[in-house]
Amino acid sequence: DIQMTQSPASLSASLGETVTIQCQASEDIYSGLAWYQQKPGKSPQLLIYGASSLQDGVPSRFSGSGSGTQYSLKISSMQTEDEGVYFCQQGLKYPPTFGSGTKLEIK
Amino acid sequence: QVKLLQSGAALVKPGASVKMSCKASGYTFTDYWVSWVKQSHGKSLEWIGEIYPNSGATNFNEKFKGKATLTVDKSTSTAYMELSRLTSEDSAIYYCTRVAAIFLDYWGQGVMVTVSS
C-alpha cells in the first residue's frame, strides 16, 4: 500500500496567518491527491482534489500544490472556522490511503 | 443537494455482526461508487471498500476482506455494509461516501459502532 506521511502532526496559528501542511507519498502518485477537513464531531469534507483543484464551495484561501511524492495544503489567511483536523489521501492505487492527520488550532 | 443519511449508532456484543445503511439522495445513485471508511478513536481514516450500485461490483481493502460485506438496494438508493465477527478492534465510526473519480466528495454523518459485552 502507498504510505502517506503528513507533517506536522499539530500546529497552532494566529488569525490571518498563512498555514502550510505537508504530505509525502511513499511513491509517485501523479497528483492523485485530495485534502479533507474534519471539524470536531463532524464528517470529513473534501477541500482539494487532483492536488490543486478547489472543491465547489470551498473558500479560495485554501490551495493545494505539489507533484510526484510531495504535496502541500496552504491556508492563506487563517480563520476561526478553519480549526480542525486535515487529512491527505491518495487515490492513485488501491487501496486509497490517508495521512495520519494534522490538527490545526487557533493560537 | 447530495445527501448520505446513515443509520444510527450500534452497540453490539463481541462475535456478533452489525449491518448499517446509507441512504443517498440528490443524485443518481447508480452513477457513482459508494465507499466505506473507518475512523478509529478519532484518529486517522482507513478505506474499507467500495461498491458500484449499478452492477454490484465491489473492491476491497485486503485488510477488510472477510470482515465487511457491501450490498445495495437500488430501489431505495441505499447502500449497506455488514461487519461480521466483531471484536473491540471494530469499535469505530464508519462513514459512507460518494466517490467522484478517485476522491470522496460527499460523506455521511457516520455510524458509531461500539463492541462490548
Side-chain angles (χ1 to χ4, degrees), chain A residues 32-34 36 38 42-44 46 49-50 87 89 91 94-96 98-100, chain B residues 37 39 43-47 50 59 61 95 102-110:
Chain A
L33 184 102
Y36 301 87
Q38 185 175 31
K42 300 294 186 182
S43 309
L46 179 64
Y49 62 93
F87 296 96
Q89 175 241 326
Y94 283 103
F98 295 85
S100 55
Chain B
V37 175
Q39 186 168 37
K43 294 186 184 295
S44 193
L45 304 160
E46 288 183 283
W47 184 81
E50 63 184 358
N59 294 301
N61 187 331
Y95 296 100
I102 54 175
F103 306 115
L104 312 178
D105 65 346
Y106 289 93
W107 296 59
Q109 83 277 18

Side-chain angles (χ1 to χ4, degrees), chain A residues 4-107:
Chain A
M4 305 300 292
T5 303
Q6 258 184 266
S7 61
S10 64
L11 76 158
S12 59
S14 303
L15 287 175
E17 185 177 343
T18 294
V19 172
T20 301
I21 299 169
Q22 309 283 353
C23 185
Q24 180 175 351
S26 59
E27 61 184 84
D28 194 330
I29 57 172
Y30 299 96
S31 297
L33 184 102
W35 291 96
Y36 301 87
Q37 175 195 60
Q38 185 175 31
K39 296 184 180 181
K42 300 294 186 182
S43 309
Q45 288 192 305
L46 179 64
L47 297 175
I48 302 284
Y49 62 93
S52 60
S53 296
L54 198 65
Q55 175 70 347
D56 289 346
V58 175
S60 58
R61 63 180 179 274
F62 290 91
S63 64
S65 63
S67 62
T69 61
Q70 301 279 358
Y71 298 87
S72 61
L73 172 70
K74 186 170 82 171
I75 307 172
S76 60
S77 176
M78 177 76 181
Q79 302 298 307
T80 304
E81 60 266 32
D82 298 336
E83 280 193 309
V85 181
Y86 291 80
F87 296 96
C88 61
Q89 175 241 326
Q90 69 80 19
L92 180 72
K93 288 186 179 179
Y94 283 103
T97 46
F98 295 85
S100 55
T102 295
K103 186 174 184 179
L104 176 60
E105 296 176 321
I106 288 284
K107 190 182 293 182

